[in-house]
C-alpha cells in the first residue's frame, strides 16, 4: 500500500503510544529529541489522534539539570497528539518507586480506553506494564525493540563487587524472562538491527528502518571525500554522556594515543548528559586537548561535523544498534566500535571497520592508532562504510514503515 492509502485506512483510528523518553515542557510547549519527535509527528499524520503517555520534565528539572535536557530541541506538533503525563521522580525510595509505577499503570490503562492500537517501546518496566495492559484490554499492539535491558544489567554486574554481582546476574535473568514475554506478546515487533532481529524473529517481526533524520540523499558520495593529505587526523565521539555509552573508555584510549602519538591529531566529542562535566574533568586530568562540542542536533550541522572528521569511535557498553554507527558510515568515516549488540552484524572486522572487545580501552586505542597510521586503510573503510549505509538507509521513513505494518497486520484483528 502507498503512504496515501495507509493514511486513508488509518485516518479514523486512534493510536496509544507509550514513549521511551520524556518531553521537556517550556511555556506550555513540548520538546522532544529530534529523531523521536519527528517520528511521532509523522506517525500522527496517519491517525485521527495519537494519545501519548510520556514523562514530562519541567520547572525544577529543567532549571537545575539543564545538561540533561539539551537534546530536547524538537517542538512537537500537538494538533492531533493528546499528552497524558506520567508522573516521575528519581529521588524516591523503593516503596515510592512501586507506588509510582502503579500510578503509571493506572494512567496508561485509563488512556487505553477507546483506542484502536497500542504502540510501546519495550525497554524498562513501563514497556512491560504496557504489554500487560495491551494483553488484558485485547488491544492490537506494536512493540519497538531497540535494545536489551537485561544485557545492560549483566554488563553492570561485571563492574560490581562479588555479592552485588550475583544479585545483578539473577536480576538480569529475571528481566530477560519478562522482557522477552512482553516483546513476544505483541502482535507486531519492529526491531532495530540484525542481532535483535535474529533473537525475536517470528511471525510479524520486521526490521525497522533507522530512526534517523539522515536520508539516502544525505549519504556522502565517496568521490566527495577530499583526497589531499590531512594536516590533522580528526577522531570523533558522538553520543549522550552516559556511562553505558563508553565515554570514560574513549578518554582512556585517547590518553594512550596522546602518550604514543607523534602525528597531529584532534579529538572531537559531541554530546551532552549527566556526566558531561565529569568527562571534561577526566580529559583535563589526562592532559588531553579534546574539543567538547556539546549537543548538536541531528541535521545538516551534525552532518558537517561528521564530514570534518576521519575516524568515528563507538565504545558503547550495551546491546542494540547505535544510530551513530550508520550515520558515521553514511558520511565516509572509518569506524572503530565495540563488539556488542548489533554492531558486529554491520561491521566486519578489517573489512569496513575495526571491532574491539567491549570495555577494553587498550584494544580500542590500538585500533585507532592503526587507522591514524594507515591512510589507505582509512580510505578502504570509508568506501566500504558508505556501501553499508546505502544498504541500511531506505527512502521509507520509520513512521511510514510503522503505519504500513499496522495496516498490513492489525486492521483485520
Amino acid at each position: 500500500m502507498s503512504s496515501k492509502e495507509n493514511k486513508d485506512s488509518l485516518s479514523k483510528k486512534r493510536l496509544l503510544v507509550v514513549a521511551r523518553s520524556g518531553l521537556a515542557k517550556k511555556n506550555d510547549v513540548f520538546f522532544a529529541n529530534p529523531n523521536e519527535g519527528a517520528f511521532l509527528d509523522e506517525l500522527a499524520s496517519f491517525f485521527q489522534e495519537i494519545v501519548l503517555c510520556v514523562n514530562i520534565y519541567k520547572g525544577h528539572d529543567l532549571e537545575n539539570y539543564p545538561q540533561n535536557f539539551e537534546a530536547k530541541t524538537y517542538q512537537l506538533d500537538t494538533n492531533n497528539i493528546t499528552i497524558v503525563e506520567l508522573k516521575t521522580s528519581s529521588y524516591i525510595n523503593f516503596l515510592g518507586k512501586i507506588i509510582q509505577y502503579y500510578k503509571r499503570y493506572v494512567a496508561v490503562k485509563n488512556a487505553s480506553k477507546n483506542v484502536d492500537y497500542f504502540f510501546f517501546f519495550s525497554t524498562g518496566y513501563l514497556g512491560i506494564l504496557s504489554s500487560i495492559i495491551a494483553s488484558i484490554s485485547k488491544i492490537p499492539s506494536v512493540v519497538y525493540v531497540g535494545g536489551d535491558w537485561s544485557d545492560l544489567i549483566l554488563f553492570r554486574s561485571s563492574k560490581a563487587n562479588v555479592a552485588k554481582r550475583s544479585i545483578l546476574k539473577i536480576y538480569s535473568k529475571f528481566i530477560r524472562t519478562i522482557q522477552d514475554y512482553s516483546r513476544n506478546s505483541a502482535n507486531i515487533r519492529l526491531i532495530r538491527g540484525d542481532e535483535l532481529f535474529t533473537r525475536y524473529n517470528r511471525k510479524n517481526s520486521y526490521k525497522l528502518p533507522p530512526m534517523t533524520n539522515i536520508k539516502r540523499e544525505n549519504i556522502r558520495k565517496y568521490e566527495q571525500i577530499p583526497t589531499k593529505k590531512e594536516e590533522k587526523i580528526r577522531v570523533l565521539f558522538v553520543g549522550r554522556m552516559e556511562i553505558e555509552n563508553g565515554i570514560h573508555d574513549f578518554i582512556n584510549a585517547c590518553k594512550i594515543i596522546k602518550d604514543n602519538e607523534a602525528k597531529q591529531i584532534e579529538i572531537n566529542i559531541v554530546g551532552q548528559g549527566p556526566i558531561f562535566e565529569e568527562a571534561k574533568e577526566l580529559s583535563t586530568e589526562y592532559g588531553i586537548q579534546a574539543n567538547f562540542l556539546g549537543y548538536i542536533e541531528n541535521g545538516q550541522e551534525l552532518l558537517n561535523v561528521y564530514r570534518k572528521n576521519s575516524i568515528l569511535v563507538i565504545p558503547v557498553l550495551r546491546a542494540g544498534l547505535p544510530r551513530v554507527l550508520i550515520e558515521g558510515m553514511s558520511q565516509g568515516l572509518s569506524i572503530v566500535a565495540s563488539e556488542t549488540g548489533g554492531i558486529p552484524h554491520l561491521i566486519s572486522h578489517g573489512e569496513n571497520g575495526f571491532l574491539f572487545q567491549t570495555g577494553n580501552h587498550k584494544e580500542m586505542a590500538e585500533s585507532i592508532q592503526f587507522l591514524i597510521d594507515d591512510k589507505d586503510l582509512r580510505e578502504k573503510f570509508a568506501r566500504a562504510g558508505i556501501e553499508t549505509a546505502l544498504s541500511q538507509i531506505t527512502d521509507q521513513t520509520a513512521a511510514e514503515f510503522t503505519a504500513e505494518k499496522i495496516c498490513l497486520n492489525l486492521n483485520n484483528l
Side-chain angles (χ1 to χ4, degrees), residues 176-282:
R176 169 63 69 89
T177 300
I178 59 174
Q179 173 184 265
D180 288 358
Y181 167 79
S182 72
R183 293 172 173 183
N184 293 334
S185 69
N187 299 98
I188 299 175
R189 279 156 294 282
L190 302 180
I191 303 170
R192 186 175 73 177
D194 289 344
E195 185 259 345
L196 289 170
F197 185 75
T198 300
R199 188 184 306 176
Y200 293 103
N201 183 17
R202 49 188 50 78
K203 184 179 179 182
N204 298 340
S205 294
Y206 304 95
K207 278 191 281 190
L208 188 71
M211 199 177 289
T212 173
N213 291 334
I214 290 182
K215 299 179 172 59
R216 285 183 69 86
E217 65 194 44
N218 302 127
I219 297 176
R220 197 176 191 183
K221 293 180 172 58
Y222 179 76
E223 295 75 23
Q224 295 174 337
I225 299 175
T227 56
K228 65 180 182 179
K229 186 176 180 181
E230 299 159 287
E231 294 180 5
K232 291 182 180 179
I233 306 300
R234 293 180 170 87
V235 181
L236 178 65
F237 170 97
V238 178
R240 181 165 167 76
M241 294 294 158
E242 296 175 315
I243 291 174
E244 52 260 42
N245 281 338
I247 184 61
H248 289 136
D249 289 334
F250 176 68
I251 293 173
N252 277 298
C254 289
K255 181 179 185 298
I256 295 173
I257 295 167
K258 178 187 76 71
D259 291 343
N260 297 336
E261 182 55 53
K263 293 181 181 178
Q264 279 195 308
I265 63 170
E266 181 180 300
I267 311 253
N268 295 308
I269 297 175
V270 172
Q272 189 57 271
I275 62 170
F276 179 80
E277 292 300 330
E278 182 181 322
K280 285 184 71 174
E281 289 171 6
L282 184 62

Side-chain angles (χ1 to χ4, degrees), residues 105-106 108-110 112-113 115 118 120 127-141 181-182 185-187:
Y105 175 88
V106 171
V108 175
K109 185 72 170 66
N110 289 336
S112 69
K113 296 174 182 176
V115 300
F118 203 127
F120 64 95
I128 293 166
L129 291 176
S130 297
S131 69
I132 293 171
I133 294 168
S135 297
I136 292 173
S137 304
K138 295 183 169 46
I139 302 172
S141 61
Y181 167 79
S182 72
S185 69
N187 299 98

Side-chain angles (χ1 to χ4, degrees), residues 32 41 64 135 147 151 164 166 186 192 264-265 299 324 326 346 369 383 392 395:
D41 266 354
N64 291 276
S135 297
D151 282 356
K164 191 174 181 181
S166 300
R192 186 175 73 177
Q264 279 195 308
I265 63 170
V324 297
I326 296 173
L346 281 188
Q369 186 70 62
R383 186 186 292 275
Q392 296 295 310
D395 289 326

